[in-house]
Amino acid sequence: MQDKKFQKFIKRIFDVVISLIVLIPFLPIWGVIAILIKVTSPGPVFFLQDRPGLNKKIFKVYKFRTMRPGSENMVKGQEVMKDDNRVTAIGKFLRRSKIDEIPQVLNVLKGEMSLVGPRPERVASLADYTDEISKRLNMNPGMTGLAQVSGNIYLSLENRYKFDVYYVENFSLWLDLKIIIRTVGVVLFGEDRYVNKYLVDIDLESIEAAATKEEIISK
């Protein structure tokens, strides 16, 4: 238990240091991205939405807007796929490169999120949480997570939850490091590169969902 507390303390220090490195030197790039968003589509530069965090505490998550105004009214558990026509031209690049998530370093600095953890879901999802799924809320949500480097949009919602719960129950700095390294690979090569390539040995069901989604994308 003491070891876990110490690791979480180090994790927090790492979160703050990396977030400041991303925030301060790269502010000019933030400005360029903001201009591109404004000139290519109507609407605000940032997308803010209530999300449940640690112990279901609600906070506003920050992202660069990648979709047309009004597109946030989505079906629960439905991921935005590559060819989704709600995504703007610049939004496709921002989503593919994960740059749209960068403003969440502000959430990390505020202590609402971590660099690594279960991705924060929409508040409406809480209505379907079982006691088992609720375990994913026992740690701060993350900018990236175990599910995000294990196929992400190609996983069923049920299997993403399994990865989240596994992460919370088996957290370690070593696991965080492996997730961060794999995240670099996801940014460079895409999420589809890691379909069925998991960092941990975990019992999953509905694996066929990945193949089904790949077929949909290829059509």
Side-chain angles (χ1 to χ4, degrees):
M1 182 64 71
Q2 290 298 324
D3 178 61
K4 290 289 186 182
K5 287 183 178 180
F6 178 72
Q7 290 194 70
K8 289 181 179 179
F9 173 72
I10 298 299
K11 176 183 176 73
R12 178 57 185 160
I13 293 176
F14 186 77
D15 282 346
V16 172
V17 171
I18 297 300
S19 295
L20 288 175
I21 291 175
V22 172
L23 177 63
I24 298 174
F26 292 96
L27 273 179
I29 298 178
W30 285 45
V32 172
I33 294 171
I35 292 172
L36 290 174
I37 292 173
K38 289 298 291 184
V39 301
T40 56
S41 67
V45 169
F46 295 101
F47 172 72
L48 279 68
Q49 191 175 60
D50 287 343
R51 299 289 174 92
L54 178 65
N55 299 323
K56 299 184 180 181
K57 183 178 180 180
I58 306 301
F59 70 98
K60 288 193 180 296
V61 69
Y62 306 122
K63 297 179 66 173
F64 283 122
R65 181 176 60 83
T66 61
M67 304 179 73
R68 296 182 177 85
S71 298
E72 66 273 10
N73 299 319
M74 300 170 60
V75 178
K76 181 170 53 182
Q78 175 182 311
E79 291 294 331
V80 179
M81 304 306 285
K82 293 180 179 179
D83 57 350
D84 197 308
N85 59 16
R86 295 169 297 178
V87 180
T88 64
I90 185 64
K92 291 180 180 179
F93 166 73
L94 295 178
R95 296 182 75 93
R96 169 62 184 80
S97 61
K98 305 300 181 184
I99 292 176
D100 64 315
E101 310 283 358
I102 294 299
Q104 288 165 34
V105 296
L106 298 173
N107 293 119
V108 175
L109 288 172
K110 292 168 66 178
E112 298 165 335
M113 291 182 64
S114 177
L115 295 177
V116 180
R119 285 294 296 159
E121 290 199 307
R122 291 166 184 80
V123 176
S125 299
L126 294 176
D128 294 333
Y129 275 25
T130 62
D131 289 342
E132 180 68 13
I133 296 172
S134 293
K135 292 178 182 178
R136 71 190 302 276
L137 301 173
N138 290 342
M139 287 187 70
N140 272 339
M143 293 181 63
T144 186
L146 188 56
Q148 283 61 54
V149 299
S150 302
N152 196 21
I153 61 175
Y154 301 101
L155 293 168
S156 67
L157 180 61
E158 175 188 4
N159 285 340
R160 288 202 300 274
Y161 286 154
K162 287 184 178 180
F163 276 112
D164 291 340
V165 172
Y166 178 95
Y167 172 79
V168 171
E169 293 183 335
N170 297 273
F171 159 73
S172 70
L173 292 176
W174 175 237
L175 180 56
D176 271 20
L177 179 60
K178 291 195 290 185
I179 291 172
I180 289 172
I181 293 173
R182 176 69 75 89
T183 299
V184 175
V186 170
V187 171
L188 293 176
F189 306 113
E191 293 173 340
D192 51 345
R193 178 75 170 267
Y194 298 97
V195 173
N196 296 335
K197 296 178 181 178
Y198 310 131
L199 284 176
V200 298
D201 183 16
I202 185 172
D203 180 30
L204 296 180
E205 299 175 356
S206 304
I207 294 296
E208 69 277 2
T212 301
K213 288 186 178 180
E214 283 188 298
E215 291 178 4
I216 293 174
I217 293 173
S218 63
K219 290 181 180 179

